[in-house]
Amino acid sequence: MGMIEPPLSDRIAERVREVLARMGGAARKSGRSPDSIKLVAATKSVPVDRIEMGLDAGLTILGENRVQEALSKIWALQHRNISWHFIGQLQRRKVRSIIGRFDLIHSVDGVELAREIDRRAGEAGRQQEVLLEVNIGNEPTKAGFRADDLIPALPALAALSHLRIKGLMAVPPPTAEAEQARPYFAQLRTLAERIAVLKYPSIAMQDLSMGMSHDYEVAIEEGATFVRIGTAIFGARHV
Ligand SMILES: *Cc1c(COP(=O)(O)O)cnc(C)c1O
């Protein structure tokens, strides 16, 4: 006979509470206000009914990776008060369909994508808030600006008047221990500090999106303002 498990909604609510508590603990440990760090629930492949359990437990920001999946969830959840973020790799030809639907795009991985977002936001008469994704581990197969290429690209990015650059994002190489990700998080913070002193009027470095289920406390200790967490809330993904 199996153990009787609590309902899934209770388990999700419990995990949301635990993540928020650990975020607060990491913030206080590093002398930061817990209010300065926001939880982005990574909901790729999570069905709408489970997402609603998370919303009922207090989630307010949802991060999606795939355009079609995101648009259908935005439709299905339009009765809820949600700030949608785009956190996945974005193809240029899909930019037009997402303008105006996401409060923040975390994953601007090159100048060409930035130009396309600027162009489409301009056509829609909007400003789009974005983060610049940095390939902080210089991994050959991973998207993002190389750290060395980012500073030379800033003048071109700063000229895009419909883009509001708010900071940097990174997905470091996978590590066995959370502590091993610390140097990557520190590098991203240092890069943001180097950019901030250049004082481009249209480029703010207020946000750092870094840290996932297994390493978010370390990321917060190194300055994260957004952590993107999926598995620790919704459990393992099966697709
Ligand atoms: C899936 C995903 C996450 C969350 O990963 P977990 O390990 O499940 O917390 C964070 N960021 C991005 C870009 C993702 O694709």
Side-chain angles (χ1 to χ4, degrees):
M1 281 241 298
M3 298 255 292
I4 297 172
E5 287 201 8
L8 183 59
S9 56
D10 287 3
R11 279 183 284 150
I12 288 176
E14 174 60 31
R15 293 192 199 123
V16 169
R17 276 194 297 275
E18 187 189 333
V19 166
L20 289 171
R22 286 172 61 175
M23 286 173 62
R28 278 184 289 274
K29 182 177 166 192
S30 43
R32 303 178 58 202
S33 159
D35 299 340
S36 64
I37 302 132
K38 280 159 281 181
L39 170 58
V40 179
T43 45
K44 58 174 176 275
S45 88
V46 179
V48 167
D49 61 329
R50 290 190 189 207
I51 294 176
E52 293 213 78
M53 295 172 190
L55 296 170
D56 292 339
L59 298 178
T60 57
I61 308 175
L62 303 184
E64 280 284 333
N65 291 65
R66 302 176 192 106
V67 170
Q68 285 319 315
E69 182 181 341
L71 293 179
S72 69
K73 286 176 178 172
I74 290 171
W75 171 256
L77 291 166
Q78 58 189 309
H79 58 291
R80 310 281 311 224
N81 191 16
I82 298 164
S83 176
W84 292 95
H85 288 195
F86 196 83
I87 64 174
Q89 200 164 351
L90 180 56
Q91 292 167 286
R92 266 187 282 164
R93 63 187 173 81
K94 299 211 171 146
V95 167
R96 194 158 69 105
S97 59
I98 74 161
I99 291 296
R101 299 186 189 270
F102 292 89
D103 291 327
L104 184 65
I105 300 173
H106 291 230
S107 43
V108 174
D109 58 12
V111 173
E112 288 312 310
L113 178 61
R115 285 204 174 103
E116 179 65 7
I117 295 170
D118 178 67
R119 185 163 81 91
R120 297 303 188 177
E123 284 173 4
R126 290 178 175 271
Q127 302 268 312
Q128 176 66 59
E129 295 195 353
V130 303
L131 305 177
L132 304 174
E133 181 172 357
V134 181
N135 182 353
I136 201 72
N138 285 324
E139 294 170 276
T141 57
K142 198 168 270 180
F145 289 90
R146 300 283 170 131
D148 291 341
D149 297 338
L150 184 53
I151 287 181
L154 292 175
L157 294 167
L160 302 173
S161 59
H162 302 284
L163 218 60
R164 298 239 298 266
I165 299 172
K166 310 297 271 185
L168 304 181
M169 177 270 215
V171 182
T175 56
E177 301 294 331
E179 204 47 49
Q180 294 170 298
R182 187 183 297 278
Y184 296 110
F185 297 142
Q187 280 172 43
L188 194 72
R189 187 195 58 225
T190 305
L191 183 59
E193 288 165 357
R194 282 171 59 206
I195 293 171
V197 299
L198 301 175
K199 297 208 183 303
Y200 286 94
S202 57
I203 300 181
M205 283 289 134
Q206 66 185 47
D207 282 312
L208 287 177
S209 170
M210 58 188 194
M212 315 201 321
S213 289
H214 80 293
D215 56 14
Y216 63 94
E217 289 160 290
V218 175
I220 289 169
E221 288 167 23
E222 295 300 327
T225 64
F226 288 110
V227 292
R228 309 175 311 269
I229 299 181
T231 314
I233 294 172
F234 296 107
R237 287 178 290 274
H238 302 292
V239 283

